[in-house]
Amino acid sequence: MGENKSFSGQPVLSQILDVIPSAIIHAANRKHQSNRYYKRLPLRVHLVSLLYGVFSYCNGLRELCEGLLACEGKLSHLGLDKAPARSTLSDANNKRSYQVFETIYYGLLRQYHSFISDSRLKGLSIRNLKIIDSTTIQLFCELLRGVGRNRLDGGRKKGGIKVHAMLDAFSGVTEFVRMTEAREHDRKFLYHLKLAANSWLVFDKAYNVYHQFAKWTTQKVWFVTRMKDNADFHITKVLVDKTKKKNVKGVLKEQYITVGVKQNGKEVGRLKLRRITFKTAEGKVYVFITNNFTLPAPQIATIYKNRWMIELLFKQIKQNFPLRYFWGESPNAVKMQVYCVLIAQLLMVVIRKKAATKKSFANMITVIRLHLTSYVGLMEFIKDTYKAWRKKHNASSLAFSP
C-alpha cells in the first residue's frame, strides 16, 4: 500500500492564520504587555481560538470550545497544544484588553493596505475617498445603554453597541473604528477623525455639523453629503438651473450658498458651500452639499453614490460573521469579538485578492466554513472549489491504490 498523501499540508484554517505575520502579534503583545497580565492563555492561542469561532460561526463559548475539541489531531497545525477550557477563554475575554486585538487589526491593515487597494474607482478621478457611517448591534444583555425612547410597557430596552466606521473606498475595509453606547449621536464620531489634506469624505445627513465643515475647509479636507430638508441657507450665486426643463436627468441645479457656523449657540461666521440638485435615471432627486468648488457636479453625485459601499460592508459582516450572540458579558468581551470579526473580514479580502477568485464574498465564506479543517490548498480551493476537491480526492485514491 502506498503512502497516504491525502492529509499532507495544513488545514484551511491554518493557512488562513498564516496570512497574519507573527511580528504583528508579537508587536501588539509587547505594546500592551498582554501575556504579562494574563499568562494562562497566550495571546496567539487566544487570537486563534476566537478566529476559529468567527470563521465557524459559533454562537457561544460552549460551541467554540467543543468545536476546537473536535479538531483533535489538527490543533498542532494551529499552534495549540490543546483546546482551551471554556472558563479560561471566558476569563481571557473579560480580562485581556480588547485594545490588543485593535492593534493587531490596524497592524494587518498597514501590512496589506497597498495590496488590497484598487488604483481607481469607476467614474471618479479622486484617489483618497473615505466613507463614514455607523451600525447598531443589539445586545441581549444590558451591557451598554440602548438607543431610542423607553418602552411604554415598562420593559427595559436591550443594550446596544454602536460601531462607527470609516471605510476606505479603494480597499473596501475599515480604516478607523470607534465603538460606543448605541445612544451616542453619530456626529461625535467626526471629532475623532484625523485626515490628511486633499482627503475626501462622504456621509449621510446625520453628520451635518457646520463648524466641523468649516474646520475641514481650512484643512483642505473635502466632503460630500446630503442637505437636510430644514437647512437654513442663503443663495449667493446660481450657476446652473434646469428645473423648468422637461425630462431632464443629472444636474438640475448648481448654486453657491452660505450657512451659519455656530459655537455655543451663537453664529460666529458664514461658511461658503456648493449646493447641487441631482436627478437620477430612476427619477429620484437628491440635494448635495460640498465644500469643494472644482470637481464637476456629476462626480459629486458619483461620490455620494459610492456611500452605499459601507452599507454593503455592514450587511456583509452581519450576515457572514457571528454578531448576534456574544462570547462574554462585559463591554471588553463584546469589543474584542467585534475586532476579531473585523480581522476575519480583512483576512478574507486579502485572500480573495490573492486567489483572484470571482466568487462572491458570501459564497467564499460559506465554502471556507464548511471546510475549515479540511486538508486542501486554500488559494486553489477558493479559486475553483470543485477542481481542488477532485484533485485532493484523486491524490487520496492513488495513495490507497495497490
Side-chain angles (χ1 to χ4, degrees):
M1 183 180 291
E3 183 185 355
N4 186 350
K5 299 179 182 178
S6 62
F7 292 102
S8 61
Q10 296 181 325
V12 166
L13 178 58
S14 180
Q15 294 173 67
I16 293 172
L17 296 172
D18 285 343
V19 180
I20 306 176
S22 297
I24 290 177
I25 300 175
H26 294 324
N29 180 39
R30 285 195 303 271
K31 179 178 179 180
H32 298 278
Q33 294 291 300
S34 61
N35 284 346
R36 178 182 177 185
Y37 298 109
Y38 200 81
K39 297 179 180 179
R40 292 179 62 192
L41 191 72
L43 175 59
R44 189 185 183 281
V45 176
H46 194 183
L47 175 65
V48 170
S49 301
L50 294 185
L51 286 179
Y52 169 83
V54 169
F55 284 115
S56 57
Y57 208 106
C58 294
N59 285 325
L61 272 184
R62 187 179 297 277
E63 280 185 31
L64 194 161
C65 293
E66 291 178 356
L68 282 172
L69 281 175
C71 296
E72 188 176 356
K74 303 175 184 178
L75 292 177
S76 59
H77 288 297
L78 306 179
L80 278 68
D81 295 328
K82 61 180 180 178
R86 185 161 65 97
S87 58
T88 302
L89 200 54
S90 177
D91 288 345
N93 287 350
N94 290 322
K95 293 178 181 178
R96 174 173 275 136
S97 173
Y98 75 91
Q99 291 176 324
V100 69
F101 292 87
E102 178 185 37
T103 300
I104 290 171
Y105 175 73
Y106 287 123
L108 286 169
L109 189 62
R110 288 191 296 272
Q111 176 81 18
Y112 291 110
H113 187 272
S114 60
F115 172 71
I116 61 179
S117 295
D118 291 325
S119 60
R120 51 193 283 177
L121 284 178
K122 185 177 180 181
L124 291 181
S125 59
I126 61 174
R127 292 290 180 269
N128 191 8
L129 177 60
K130 316 296 182 187
I131 308 170
I132 296 172
D133 207 349
S134 68
T135 186
T136 301
I137 301 170
Q138 284 194 333
L139 307 179
F140 289 86
C141 54
E142 295 222 354
L143 300 180
L144 297 165
R145 281 173 281 188
V147 67
R149 299 178 180 178
N150 292 323
R151 290 171 54 176
L152 296 177
D153 60 5
R156 294 183 301 176
K157 292 183 294 184
K158 290 176 182 174
I161 186 170
K162 184 175 280 189
V163 180
H164 308 264
M166 182 173 74
L167 170 76
D168 176 46
F170 291 87
S171 67
V173 296
T174 51
E175 279 195 345
F176 180 65
V177 179
R178 184 168 180 266
M179 286 176 266
T180 67
E181 293 180 348
R183 68 175 189 163
E184 180 168 306
H185 198 283
D186 289 346
R187 64 173 174 261
K188 291 186 178 180
F189 180 60
L190 302 182
Y191 309 142
H192 297 273
L193 301 180
K194 295 179 180 179
L195 299 159
N198 294 313
S199 297
W200 280 85
L201 286 171
V202 58
F203 42 84
D204 65 20
K205 51 190 175 183
Y207 293 90
N208 277 11
V209 186
Y210 293 145
H211 65 84
Q212 183 63 44
F213 293 174
K215 186 181 294 185
W216 283 338
T217 302
T218 60
Q219 296 170 347
K220 294 185 178 180
V221 173
W222 316 118
F223 70 86
V224 176
T225 186
R226 288 173 63 191
M227 187 169 229
K228 288 187 175 181
D229 297 334
N230 62 349
D232 184 15
F233 63 95
H234 298 303
I235 300 170
T236 59
K237 187 176 182 180
V238 178
L239 283 76
V240 176
D241 189 350
K242 301 178 182 177
T243 52
K244 294 182 180 179
K245 295 183 179 180
K246 294 182 179 180
N247 301 320
V248 177
K249 298 290 191 299
V251 178
L252 298 182
K253 189 182 290 186
E254 185 175 356
Q255 304 162 311
Y256 290 168
I257 64 170
T258 62
V259 295
V261 178
K262 294 183 179 181
Q263 291 283 4
N264 300 321
K266 294 182 179 180
E267 186 172 308
V268 294
R270 304 288 298 181
L271 175 64
K272 186 177 179 181
L273 296 173
R274 189 173 165 206
R275 184 175 185 265
I276 298 166
T277 305
F278 189 89
K279 190 173 184 179
T280 66
E282 296 76 25
K284 292 185 178 180
V285 177
Y286 295 94
V287 179
F288 306 120
I289 54 172
T290 179
N291 60 344
N292 183 277
F293 292 84
T294 59
L295 203 67
Q299 283 216 21
I300 298 296
T302 303
I303 287 174
Y304 192 83
K305 186 177 180 180
N306 279 284
R307 193 191 73 81
W308 290 104
M309 290 175 65
I310 200 166
E311 302 283 357
L312 295 175
L313 174 71
F314 289 149
K315 184 178 179 181
Q316 182 186 91
I317 287 174
K318 286 184 173 182
Q319 287 183 345
N320 294 290
F321 297 113
L323 284 176
R324 289 183 61 208
Y325 301 96
F326 286 84
W327 306 330
E329 296 186 354
S330 69
N332 186 75
V334 172
K335 291 178 181 180
M336 184 181 292
Q337 187 171 337
V338 171
Y339 271 110
C340 283
V341 165
L342 291 173
I343 289 170
Q345 191 266 344
L346 175 54
L347 293 177
M348 289 297 95
V349 171
V350 172
I351 289 168
R352 189 166 184 252
K353 185 78 178 284
K354 283 187 175 183
T357 181
K358 294 181 179 179
K359 286 184 187 292
S360 69
F361 189 91
N363 182 249
M364 186 179 73
I365 285 290
T366 301
V367 168
I368 284 175
R369 181 174 299 124
L370 293 173
H371 298 276
L372 204 57
T373 57
S374 297
Y375 287 80
V376 62
L378 176 61
M379 298 302 169
E380 189 177 7
F381 191 59
I382 290 173
K383 192 167 186 178
D384 192 330
T385 303
Y386 290 104
K387 182 179 179 180
W389 195 251
R390 285 195 298 269
K391 181 179 178 181
K392 172 185 180 295
H393 282 272
N394 287 339
S396 177
S397 62
L398 287 172
F400 285 100
S401 62

